[in-house]
Amino acid sequence: MKFSENWLRSWVNPELTSAELGHVLTMAGLEVEALEAVAPAFNNVVVAEVLSVTKHPDADRLNVCQVNVGEAEPLTIVCGAANVAVGIKVPCARIGAVLPGDFKIKQARVRGVSSSGMLCSAVELGLATESDGLWLFHVDAPVGLPVRQYLELDDQLITLKLTPNRSDCSGIKGIAREVAALTGSSYQPIKIVEQPAGFSGQLQVVVEDKADCPLYCGRLVRGVNAAVVTPVWIQRRLERSGLRLINVVVDITNYVMMELGQPMHAFDAATLAGGIMVRRARKDETLTLLGGQAVVLDEEVLVIADDARVLALAGIMGGAGSGVETTTQDVFLEAAFFDPDAIAGRARRFGLATDSSFRFERGVDFAATREALERATQLLLAICGGKSGDISEVAGQMPARTAITLRTSRVARVLGIALECGQIAELLNRLQFDFVMDGDLFSVVPPSFRFDLSIESDLIEEVARLHGYDAIPALAPRAALTMLPYSESQRPLARIRQVMVARDYQEIVSYAFVEEQLEIDLCGNDHPIALQNPIASNMAVMRSSLIGGLVGALRFNLNRKQPRVRLFETGACFSKVGAEYIQTQRLSGIAYGSILPEQWGAAAKPVDFYDVKADLEALFSPLALRFVAASHPALHPGRSARVVIGEKVVGWIGELHPHWQQQYDMAQSATWFEVELDALTQTSVPRLCEIAKFLPVRRDLAVLVDESVSAQTLMDAMLSAKAAHVQEVVLFDVYRGRGVESGKKSLAFRVSLQDTQKTLTDTEIEPCIALLVDVLNKQGAQLRT
């Protein structure tokens, strides 16, 4: 909201500079977004009257003027403006004046004639970008008065960045009330006189749904002269508030809106058919707005109508067929309180953003609706003449003002400072809050102009604002530190991140919203959870996997010529089972490029399934993982697997499918994994074991199996046999080729045996090995000779 500082100071005038006032407002939560001068700096420029104009003897386009600047003798000034004439009043820069751009006015001779100043245009004073000649003032402008004083140019424009909860400050009245409360200055509201009825007669007003419009006030004013020029003081205040001048009646309603924060509308009474009705629009009704835009309405839109047609979008904008023109003689003034829920979002549906909707969506002071109508009537009669009728008013149930309990002890606890009951009472009085004090308890009734007060914390915030955030000391927190219990069976997330970084991965953070097609392609999720109001079309659904963000970040890096990328992310994934929404935490990673950075000590080798599998095993260590071949929509059919702990599937690993590799413009395949974070944070508690004093025994078993038999199956079978003294079974060789028939492969396992109490003998070792060989035979494996 933008307004003139001079206008504000006509209501409340604290002994503060403009900058100090801006700081006070900002620290109280009304952020001053901009503070700018109305006019650039210039001096010694006065209102002057041209007494005579004669042609310059030596120049066809110059005139020699005698100019009255309020002194005993007129000044002689040479002027080349085409519109110079006897009797006009214009700005005159006297000798010694400094104009914008550090342009100094000196005594000069122009083609042999002495010139004692300069008659100015608005461009030369820095108040316009172009002009057709001298700036012509009103004939009543006082000669000799400084132009800055005459035009009130020693003014500042203040722009507030209002938060949605402070609709009470959408008018000069509310801002002045706030400044008075913050500074303790005298609050001097304008005097609004109730206007007596000059004739008997009023329009009938019907409100169909009083929940949407709890209060509607209207008044008929007859015999107005709408062709009157809007007074300069109203023009000036509106223009400095960023509002366009239209005609005197509309300017008055806009002025009242800026002054009191109550939007108003004026109808040409001659265009109305019957009475006024506030109702919901009917399906497919149409309305041409004041700006010329035609809109199609439905039952969700609140409108103002007469007996024949829709006249206006309630609380948003009027219609073109019923607006006030300069020929209007009878006016119907409207001031209403609309429920914020009935207005919110309606303007945006039609691509509109109006000053009225801005205020009604946030809530206006319903106790001041009639006051605003009286103020508009008072100005209209004083400026345009005419007679006013009685007020037509329809009232329903106003918003409840429920008392809020404020505890002095709670104020001290939240703010960290002790305020006496008397101090709090003084602050509440300055805010114009009604309250009852009972000991250290306050029962506060929020005023009608504050829609943002509903709980105790809101009142504590008000106390803090007025006391001053700067006055609250920054104290170091003091509290007893207690060591929280730490379970060794839980692995903290920070340690997991450290392991990933140690494995040369870099962490990313991506949005939980992704493109719907990405969910379908990479996750096989045909029914992702859709957002009701997505911030962008490519962020329309909730992710069910972290793969989308990782692939996006990988492509971002590849587009910037990064040859080696290793990324990971932890975050929430979302799914829906029946009517239940499920949120799970996962860790996911992706690796692309070579295993090691480019160097002289190792040949470049692209990362593959087994490299990332090693990273995953290191991440879960000391837990043992199993990898079961399976298909995933995002992964290569023959190079993907489920990650299993015990009998539970905890994730996926595999190389990106060649189709997606090609679609995402990747020169080589990337390897991706994703695991449940709950499984990753669970770990086994270390157990004390005696260090063996005797050497271990190694036996190698090489077997022939069909290609379809996985090494993991054989290892699981041998370990499940629980052969005595067997400490470890590890696959160390896979062979296909000469000596091995087609369709088979050779697998070699290292079996480690050990006893902590003695050295094992062959008689103890052989039965264990025989048991393992028997287990392998049952799995279809043949011992190689």
Side-chain angles (χ1 to χ4, degrees):
M1 176 181 170
K2 185 163 73 172
F3 57 91
S4 158
E5 182 184 353
N6 285 352
W7 192 2
L8 175 64
R9 288 187 182 272
S10 69
W11 286 68
V12 58
N13 192 13
E15 295 182 359
L16 300 172
T17 65
S18 300
E20 290 170 342
L21 177 60
H23 178 74
V24 168
L25 288 171
T26 298
M27 292 305 297
L30 301 178
E31 181 184 352
V32 175
E33 192 173 24
L35 182 64
E36 52 190 338
V38 168
F42 62 83
N43 58 33
N44 209 10
V45 180
V46 300
V47 177
E49 182 181 8
V50 178
L51 301 178
S52 66
V53 179
T54 58
K55 284 291 183 181
H56 192 288
D58 294 330
D60 294 337
R61 296 186 179 182
L62 297 180
N63 295 291
V64 179
C65 307
Q66 296 297 309
V67 180
N68 177 13
V69 293
E71 295 183 347
E73 296 293 331
L75 301 179
T76 300
I77 297 176
V78 177
C79 177
N83 63 338
V84 65
V86 175
I88 63 172
K89 292 185 177 179
V90 295
C92 176
R94 304 186 60 182
I95 293 175
V98 180
L99 302 185
D102 198 30
F103 182 67
K104 298 176 181 178
I105 304 300
K106 301 176 182 178
Q107 183 77 37
R109 294 188 68 81
V110 182
R111 295 287 185 92
V113 177
S114 178
S115 181
S116 301
M118 185 176 78
L119 304 183
C120 302
S121 68
V123 172
E124 290 159 334
L125 296 180
L127 297 173
T129 56
E130 59 182 23
S131 71
D132 296 328
L134 299 177
W135 189 1
L136 304 181
F137 290 155
H138 194 271
V139 293
D140 294 335
V143 174
L145 188 69
V147 167
R148 298 194 72 90
Q149 181 180 344
Y150 172 60
L151 298 176
E152 296 183 13
L153 297 181
D154 293 321
D155 190 8
Q156 297 284 325
L157 297 182
I158 300 175
T159 303
L160 295 183
K161 190 176 182 179
L162 289 179
T163 52
N165 63 314
R166 293 310 305 271
S167 60
D168 59 300
C169 292
S170 59
I172 295 295
K173 177 182 179 181
I175 300 170
R177 184 171 51 217
E178 186 77 4
V179 171
L182 292 169
T183 63
S185 302
S186 174
Y187 176 61
Q188 299 172 331
I190 57 171
K191 185 177 181 180
I192 299 176
V193 179
E194 184 175 341
Q195 301 300 307
F199 62 89
S200 59
Q202 53 185 185
L203 288 183
Q204 182 183 7
V205 175
V206 176
V207 178
E208 287 190 351
D209 190 347
K210 293 182 181 178
D212 290 338
C213 179
L215 179 62
Y216 187 95
C217 298
R219 169 177 271 166
L220 195 60
V221 182
R222 291 177 177 167
V224 301
N225 180 7
V228 172
V229 177
T230 303
V232 173
W233 59 276
I234 291 182
Q235 290 186 37
R236 187 173 297 149
R237 289 178 173 179
L238 288 180
E239 288 173 340
R240 292 180 184 179
S241 299
L243 296 183
R244 181 170 57 94
L245 300 176
I246 300 174
N247 60 58
V248 64
V249 178
V250 177
D251 292 345
I252 287 172
T253 59
N254 285 338
Y255 181 84
V256 172
M257 176 186 69
M258 292 300 302
E259 184 177 61
L260 303 180
Q262 168 69 55
M264 296 189 64
H265 189 66
F267 297 98
D268 185 340
T271 66
L272 302 180
I276 292 290
M277 180 180 296
V278 184
R279 60 172 174 83
R280 292 280 180 165
R282 299 182 178 95
K283 186 173 178 56
D284 295 332
E285 275 189 310
T286 60
L287 173 66
T288 300
L289 301 173
L290 286 172
Q293 177 184 351
V295 295
V296 180
L297 311 175
D298 57 30
E299 294 86 346
E300 293 186 0
V301 181
L302 193 67
V303 299
I304 310 298
D306 60 12
D307 294 346
R309 57 178 174 152
V310 174
L311 303 174
L313 294 179
I316 300 175
M317 184 180 285
S322 58
V324 173
E325 305 290 344
T326 54
T327 56
T328 298
Q329 294 183 347
D330 298 336
V331 173
F332 181 72
L333 293 175
E334 167 196 279
F337 170 72
F338 300 109
D339 183 78
D341 290 338
I343 306 300
R346 306 312 192 271
R348 288 189 294 276
R349 284 182 53 184
F350 303 111
L352 302 172
T354 66
D355 291 310
S356 293
S357 64
F358 176 86
R359 288 162 173 79
F360 280 125
E361 285 178 347
R362 291 158 174 77
V364 299
D365 183 4
F366 53 84
T369 302
R370 192 179 181 104
E371 178 186 69
L373 185 59
E374 292 287 3
R375 173 62 168 162
T377 306
Q378 178 183 349
L379 291 173
L380 189 61
L381 296 180
I383 298 169
C384 303
K387 295 181 179 180
S388 61
D390 293 320
I391 292 179
S392 303
E393 180 178 309
V394 178
Q397 183 65 41
M398 297 298 169
R401 302 283 85 188
T402 306
I404 306 169
T405 300
L406 176 64
R407 298 165 289 173
T408 305
S409 58
R410 184 62 181 169
V411 173
R413 181 174 178 81
V414 173
L415 300 185
I417 56 173
L419 295 178
E420 300 294 335
C421 293
Q423 291 177 278
I424 296 176
E426 179 189 355
L427 296 177
L428 295 178
N429 278 324
R430 281 162 54 182
L431 287 166
Q432 300 182 22
F433 290 180
D434 292 330
F435 64 91
V436 175
M437 187 167 61
D438 182 10
D440 64 347
L441 297 180
F442 293 83
S443 180
V444 183
V445 178
S448 58
F449 52 82
R450 292 297 296 270
F451 283 79
D452 59 323
L453 304 178
S454 57
I455 59 176
E456 186 180 24
S457 295
D458 296 332
L459 295 178
I460 295 175
E461 181 185 358
E462 293 300 298
V463 171
R465 288 193 319 108
L466 258 68
H467 180 72
Y469 294 121
D470 292 342
I472 299 176
L475 301 176
R478 292 178 296 173
L481 296 178
T482 304
M483 182 69 75
L484 297 176
Y486 173 71
S487 173
E488 287 187 274
S489 63
Q490 292 288 325
R491 183 163 27 191
L493 183 58
R495 185 175 301 172
I496 294 171
R497 288 192 171 107
Q498 290 172 357
V499 173
M500 292 300 296
V501 172
R503 303 292 293 190
D504 209 13
Y505 287 82
Q506 292 180 312
E507 186 173 12
I508 70 162
V509 178
S510 64
Y511 282 105
F513 316 133
V514 297
E515 188 177 359
E516 183 177 6
Q517 192 59 45
L518 187 145
E519 272 289 301
I520 296 172
D521 291 344
L522 297 183
C523 305
N525 185 6
D526 294 330
H527 302 287
I529 301 173
L531 298 174
Q532 289 186 351
N533 187 24
I535 59 178
S537 60
N538 63 337
M539 305 175 77
V541 300
M542 303 294 286
R543 66 186 178 192
S544 63
S545 169
L546 301 176
I547 188 173
L550 288 169
V551 170
L554 173 60
R555 293 179 64 195
F556 182 88
N557 282 272
L558 294 180
N559 290 338
R560 284 150 184 81
K561 305 304 180 183
Q562 297 297 314
R564 181 175 180 270
V565 182
R566 296 166 75 89
L567 306 171
F568 80 97
E569 180 177 16
T570 61
C573 296
F574 308 88
S575 58
K576 185 178 181 182
V577 178
E580 182 181 2
Y581 292 95
I582 299 173
Q583 176 177 324
T584 55
Q585 296 292 325
R586 297 181 187 173
L587 180 141
S588 187
I590 196 166
Y592 178 92
S594 59
I595 301 174
L596 299 173
E598 185 177 4
Q599 57 176 289
W600 59 267
K605 176 181 177 297
V607 68
D608 60 17
F609 177 94
Y610 295 101
D611 298 315
V612 176
K613 175 176 175 285
D615 293 334
L616 203 53
E617 288 175 329
L619 189 62
F620 274 90
S621 178
L623 298 179
L625 299 180
R626 291 192 301 112
F627 299 88
V628 180
S631 296
H632 187 282
L635 303 179
H636 192 297
R639 300 175 187 175
S640 61
R642 290 190 178 96
V643 182
V644 182
I645 298 179
E647 299 299 324
K648 183 180 179 182
V649 177
V650 297
W652 285 89
I653 182 174
E655 294 183 9
L656 206 61
H657 196 290
H659 175 73
W660 307 128
Q661 176 187 337
Q662 181 180 7
Q663 179 168 318
Y664 295 131
D665 298 325
M666 298 180 189
Q668 62 190 68
S669 180
T671 304
W672 165 79
F673 72 86
E674 183 167 291
V675 292
E676 302 286 345
L677 206 54
D678 285 346
L680 194 53
T681 55
Q682 302 290 333
T683 187
S684 58
V685 178
R687 292 181 299 171
L688 177 64
C689 295
E690 182 181 357
I691 298 175
K693 300 176 182 178
F694 303 93
L695 295 177
V697 177
R698 170 175 172 167
R699 292 287 187 270
D700 293 343
L701 295 175
V703 295
L704 289 173
V705 294
D706 292 336
E707 283 283 4
S708 61
V709 179
S710 67
Q712 186 69 52
T713 301
L714 300 182
M715 291 176 62
D716 291 344
M718 287 188 283
L719 291 174
S720 63
K722 299 186 182 302
H725 311 302
V726 174
Q727 301 295 319
E728 186 180 34
V729 178
V730 176
L731 174 72
F732 70 89
D733 184 53
V734 179
Y735 175 73
R736 299 176 182 86
R738 192 171 63 178
V740 176
E741 62 182 279
S742 177
K744 291 187 178 293
K745 59 186 175 182
S746 172
L747 303 177
F749 298 94
R750 183 185 74 240
V751 181
S752 298
L753 303 96
Q754 190 176 37
D755 192 311
T756 60
Q757 302 300 321
K758 61 182 179 179
T759 299
L760 293 175
T761 63
D762 287 344
T763 57
E764 295 170 319
I765 294 172
E766 292 306 324
C768 298
I769 298 301
L771 176 59
L772 296 181
V773 171
D774 183 56
V775 169
L776 291 173
N777 290 336
K778 291 179 179 178
Q779 296 295 325
Q782 297 177 356
L783 194 64
R784 292 187 66 185
T785 56

